[in-house]
Amino acid sequence: MKRNIIYLTLLVMLVTMQTAAARNKQNEQQPIRPIPIEVGYAKTVHILFPSPVTYIDIGSMDILAGKADGAENVVRVKAAVRDFAAETNLTVITEDGGFYTFDARYAENPAVSTLEIPISDRATGTIGNEALSEGRVLLREVGREKPATVKRMLSDIYRQNRQNTKGIRTKKYGIEVEVRGIYVSNDVIYIHTLIRNETNISFEVDCRRFVVADRKLAKRTAQQQTPVDIIRVCNDPAIVRGRQQQRTVFALPKLTMPDDKVLLLEIVERNGARHQTIEIGAKELLAAKVL
């Protein structure tokens, strides 16, 4: 009887020790792998986070970093000096407790100008394959419009799927891009687009961006271009599979242009060459339908 009690006591002690060891192992902090980024002197890199940014720290004065105006979850980064040799770092903390660290090195022409941190990877600070499907930028306020109203407008335009513009389209390499509608409400411009893949090879979207360019130079050079911030998106697919189509609605800030300028929507294919550029003229913007 006494021997059984001793055996039972030893067994309880062994289980307790194993449980404590497992708990300590579980509580061990996992190292956060830095995300490599390239920064340039003439180009700004934007990093989009899944939650508002509350803290930014740079490792050296070779780089500049700060929150984009009017956007709580976007950090812009660029080089303060050309051709800095030593690698430096950038640390960002977000409102939801996310901790992100980046290793920054100089590149005259950074390979990636917009980096999006997926929601699913916020705990580790590493980049995965997922992408935010909607609501890329958390807004304080857009002109006279509230963020909730902007989101509702985007959803209504997407759901109704009306065709209110004609002739604004481009087609190359079996990929067609079309502007289906241009709308305005309280100085927010909404652009409804469609991308159709008429090939059997999937079209994977690397990035979409709007720029204002000189009409005569739009198709020949990247100079004289002014980027336009995308303040919110409804349905931003990462891939358009063969023989399928996808629609996207963009919200842009108030924008007018002279006749010698055009608004370009550039869609870049990841690991491919079927890049698309569609032109929206000044007259088309001024003819935007009031919501």
Side-chain angles (χ1 to χ4, degrees):
M1 181 68 177
K2 187 176 182 180
R3 182 179 300 177
N4 290 339
I5 294 176
I6 294 174
Y7 285 156
L8 181 60
T9 302
L10 292 175
L11 180 61
V12 171
M13 291 176 62
L14 180 60
V15 171
T16 302
M17 292 174 61
Q18 290 177 340
T19 303
R23 186 182 299 111
N24 290 336
K25 185 176 181 180
Q26 184 177 4
N27 290 335
E28 287 180 358
Q29 293 184 349
Q30 298 296 322
I32 297 177
R33 292 174 292 173
I35 302 168
I37 60 172
E38 295 178 338
V39 296
Y41 184 78
K43 293 183 68 175
T44 300
V45 175
H46 288 85
I47 307 175
L48 284 69
F49 294 88
S51 180
V53 172
T54 57
Y55 173 85
I56 302 173
D57 181 74
I58 57 176
S60 75
M61 300 303 293
D62 290 335
I63 62 173
L64 303 171
K67 286 198 290 186
D69 295 339
E72 291 291 286
N73 68 319
V74 180
V75 172
R76 59 180 187 272
V77 189
K78 68 185 307 179
V81 295
R82 287 189 181 274
D83 299 315
F84 64 82
E87 185 177 80
T88 185
N89 71 316
L90 168 71
T91 301
V92 176
I93 297 176
T94 55
E95 193 176 74
D96 63 352
F99 182 91
Y100 306 89
T101 179
F102 303 85
D103 283 343
R105 62 183 182 86
Y106 185 84
E108 188 64 27
N109 187 26
V112 177
S113 60
T114 303
L115 182 65
E116 189 171 59
I117 307 298
I119 293 177
S120 59
D121 290 333
R122 67 174 70 178
T124 60
T126 58
I127 297 297
N129 295 323
E130 300 87 350
L132 299 178
S133 60
E134 188 265 340
R136 308 177 102 209
V137 177
L138 303 179
L139 306 174
R140 292 176 180 168
E141 191 170 350
V142 185
R144 292 173 292 165
E145 205 72 288
K146 297 295 183 181
T149 304
V150 174
K151 184 175 181 179
R152 187 179 69 251
M153 294 287 193
L154 287 167
S155 178
D156 288 345
I157 294 170
Y158 184 84
R159 176 177 50 81
Q160 293 171 8
N161 190 22
R162 294 173 179 171
Q163 177 95 44
N164 289 311
T165 61
K166 295 182 179 180
I168 307 178
R169 58 165 52 89
T170 185
K171 184 177 180 181
K172 293 190 301 183
Y173 316 116
I175 305 297
E176 182 179 7
V177 181
E178 173 188 8
V179 174
R180 295 182 57 81
I182 303 175
Y183 308 88
V184 64
S185 176
N186 284 338
D187 289 339
V188 178
I189 296 174
Y190 301 88
I191 299 181
H192 183 196
T193 67
L194 179 145
I195 181 169
R196 181 181 292 109
N197 185 356
E198 297 181 355
T199 74
N200 295 320
I201 301 174
S202 294
F203 183 86
E204 189 173 359
V205 178
D206 185 33
C207 67
R208 306 173 193 239
R209 55 178 174 257
F210 286 90
V211 297
V212 174
D214 291 336
R215 181 183 293 276
K216 294 182 179 180
L217 301 178
K219 295 184 178 179
R220 291 186 294 155
T221 178
Q223 298 178 355
Q224 304 300 322
Q225 292 187 352
T226 303
V228 177
D229 291 333
I230 299 173
I231 55 180
R232 204 172 180 94
V233 181
C234 177
N235 189 44
D236 192 10
I239 188 169
V240 183
R241 303 196 180 279
R243 306 297 173 181
Q244 293 185 5
Q245 64 183 33
Q246 293 278 0
R247 292 182 296 111
T248 303
V249 186
F250 300 93
L252 307 179
K254 182 178 70 173
L255 175 67
T256 59
M257 304 177 299
D259 290 337
D260 62 345
K261 300 282 188 179
V262 291
L263 177 64
L264 302 180
L265 168 57
E266 300 176 339
I267 304 176
V268 179
E269 182 182 19
R270 178 173 296 172
N271 300 323
R274 296 177 294 176
H275 312 316
Q276 304 290 316
T277 300
I278 190 166
E279 296 184 11
I280 303 172
K283 292 181 179 179
E284 285 85 357
L285 277 180
L286 290 176
K289 183 177 179 180
V290 177
L291 291 173

